[in-house]
Amino acid sequence: MSIYKNYKLVTLDQRFIAETIARTGSEQLLDKLTRSYVGLYDNQESWYLPLRANIGKNKPPGAFFETPFPTDNPHFKRPGIDFEKALFVLDEFIIPIRNTLPQEQAKLINEQSNIISDDFERYVLKLENISKKSPSYRFSTVPLFPDGMEKIKQITSKEREETMENELKIQATNEEIIELTEKQKYINLLKMAIEEGEISETQNLNEAIYLIDDIKISGDFDYGVRGLDHNVLLLDDQNWVDILQWGTIIVPETSSYVSDKSISELEEIGYHAVPLVENHKYTMEENDLQLINDLAKLKESAAALNTSVKESDAEKFSKLSPNQRQAILSELASQQHHSSEYHPNKPEIESPDFEI
């Protein structure tokens, strides 16, 4: 939509007609001197569109804009603006005239100025794509002014960029609103689950498994053993991507939290950040979170057996399937059980690193 400061009604200096005919060799402008023109663009060099009392029936579609109004004047048979005979004129050749158009027509042009300019711009761009031998091209004065056509292309290009930019801003705003709405919905679900006793809050960061706003979800630790799995955070139709973006997953067993940003209150108690992958667009699925839990259990079981897990073995463990990991954890749990049941008085001894 073009910017204009109301339209202006003008006629042309004879010098412009003479100079244009001399420059182009075209005599299409010979009878254009006494016409009135509508100026829609507020520039030093601009397009002026001729007013016609009777738009011919053979005018190509899109080459004019009708301005009908009730009248008894027989001269106004099909009044309108003729795009086909538009001229690109310097200000020095413009002669302003009083707007003596019929009131209804003047009002219509003023109210429809943006639509008229949009239609004219489409007409100019259309000429770029038709055969130069066609009557629609040869009988148009617009191609006589390549600089003016280029200006129209610049205007429409800028408008498209601005439109796209505005659409992207609107889209981003809408997505932000949706995200905030979904996040608040999730927070409300958490609060409801807390009220119903399904999960609980804690003020002890060492026992928290999730932070969101001012809520700390407890892992329900009992004598140092966590009783609540991270899966309890999947309350409705949320996924791990949303949950991780809205808040912070904490894994107390590994003194770590999943975030690309350092959280001072967690760092102060010795926790370290596990960064989100793929340039801050973390796509953790349930299996990924289960792997973190399994690694924590592996280290916990190894510690209970007076051993530790090498980094190379932890890497091997990570590449196993969930069932294979569970089998190893079950075996370690069994060893731990037998160790405590059958050798209660056996002194602790140093064991080699646990190997897979």
Side-chain angles (χ1 to χ4, degrees):
M1 186 177 292
S2 303
I3 299 173
Y4 69 98
K5 295 181 179 179
N6 296 322
Y7 72 94
K8 49 189 174 183
L9 210 59
V10 305
T11 190
L12 304 180
D13 190 312
Q14 184 176 355
R15 292 175 302 157
F16 172 77
I17 303 296
E19 289 180 9
T20 302
I21 292 174
R23 175 177 63 83
T24 64
S26 173
E27 297 184 352
Q28 289 195 68
L29 278 65
L30 281 176
D31 61 344
K32 308 299 188 290
L33 186 59
T34 57
R35 283 184 179 172
S36 299
Y37 291 81
V38 172
L40 296 174
Y41 299 89
D42 188 26
N43 297 307
Q44 289 184 342
E45 187 176 25
S46 197
W47 284 101
Y48 290 86
L49 319 179
L51 283 162
R52 301 292 293 270
N54 184 24
I55 297 289
K57 293 182 179 180
N58 295 324
K59 278 285 182 185
F64 58 89
F65 186 92
E66 290 190 64
T67 58
F69 60 93
T71 180
D72 295 328
N73 189 329
H75 297 291
F76 290 111
K77 295 179 181 179
R78 194 186 180 199
I81 297 173
D82 187 356
F83 298 158
E84 197 173 32
K85 301 302 180 183
L87 307 175
F88 191 65
V89 190
L90 281 169
D91 254 3
E92 63 181 281
F93 296 118
I94 294 302
I95 303 173
I97 61 174
R98 288 188 304 114
N99 193 336
T100 57
L101 291 174
Q103 186 175 355
E104 293 85 354
Q105 186 183 28
K107 180 181 178 183
L108 176 64
I109 294 173
N110 188 59
E111 291 175 347
Q112 302 290 317
S113 291
N114 283 331
I115 297 175
I116 295 169
S117 60
D118 287 346
D119 286 355
F120 174 65
E121 288 160 13
R122 278 191 287 271
Y123 168 73
V124 173
L125 295 176
K126 183 179 178 181
L127 285 177
E128 287 271 297
N129 300 314
I130 66 174
S131 171
K132 291 180 172 56
K133 296 180 180 180
S134 68
S136 295
Y137 190 92
R138 289 189 295 108
F139 294 144
S140 176
T141 57
V142 170
L144 300 177
F145 306 97
D147 290 347
M149 295 182 74
E150 184 62 32
K151 181 160 286 189
I152 291 295
K153 286 192 284 186
Q154 291 173 2
I155 289 173
T156 54
S157 176
K158 183 179 180 181
E159 287 173 353
R160 281 196 297 269
E161 290 176 2
E162 290 175 350
T163 299
M164 184 176 295
E165 184 178 344
N166 289 335
E167 288 177 352
L168 289 174
K169 286 180 180 178
I170 292 171
Q171 181 181 348
T173 301
N174 290 340
E175 289 176 353
E176 185 176 347
I177 291 172
I178 292 171
E179 183 177 347
L180 288 173
T181 303
E182 290 300 314
K183 178 182 177 181
Q184 189 57 52
K185 175 184 174 183
Y186 181 63
I187 290 174
N188 292 340
L189 288 173
L190 284 175
K191 290 180 178 178
M192 189 181 301
I194 291 170
E195 290 178 4
E196 294 176 356
E198 296 177 8
I199 57 177
S200 58
E201 282 189 273
T202 181
Q203 296 304 314
N204 185 354
L205 277 176
N206 288 296
E207 295 186 354
I209 61 171
Y210 188 59
L211 304 181
I212 183 169
D213 288 2
D214 58 346
I215 300 174
K216 300 179 181 69
I217 302 300
S218 172
D220 285 351
F221 281 80
D222 185 24
Y223 293 100
V225 178
R226 177 153 60 94
L228 210 59
D229 190 82
H230 286 98
N231 289 325
V232 299
L233 298 172
L234 294 168
L235 297 177
D236 196 359
D237 57 352
Q238 292 79 24
N239 54 52
W240 287 118
V241 174
D242 291 334
I243 291 172
L244 284 159
Q245 288 177 346
W246 294 334
T248 304
I249 290 283
I250 302 175
V251 185
E253 293 85 352
T254 59
S255 298
S256 62
Y257 59 95
V258 183
S259 175
D260 281 327
K261 297 179 181 179
S262 176
I263 300 177
S264 59
E265 58 180 341
L266 290 174
E267 297 286 335
E268 288 172 2
I269 62 173
Y271 280 46
H272 65 277
V274 176
L276 304 179
V277 300
E278 297 182 5
N279 292 328
H280 310 285
K281 294 181 180 178
Y282 192 64
T283 55
M284 175 180 273
E285 298 295 338
E286 185 174 350
N287 288 339
D288 298 313
L289 191 58
Q290 187 61 50
L291 173 58
I292 292 177
N293 288 331
D294 288 349
L295 280 169
K297 291 177 182 177
L298 177 68
K299 293 178 181 179
E300 184 180 322
S301 297
L305 293 170
N306 296 319
T307 186
S308 61
V309 181
K310 294 179 180 178
E311 287 189 14
S312 58
D313 288 326
E315 185 176 349
K316 292 178 185 177
F317 183 79
S318 300
K319 294 178 180 179
L320 297 176
S321 69
N323 289 337
Q324 290 173 319
R325 295 200 304 266
Q326 288 303 315
I328 291 176
L329 292 174
S330 296
E331 182 181 346
L332 288 174
S334 177
Q335 291 179 19
Q336 186 178 345
H337 174 73
H338 287 299
S339 175
S340 60
E341 182 176 354
Y342 296 109
H343 306 285
N345 299 318
K346 184 177 179 179
E348 293 184 357
I349 58 173
E350 290 292 326
S351 301
D353 287 344
F354 176 80
E355 293 187 2
I356 295 176

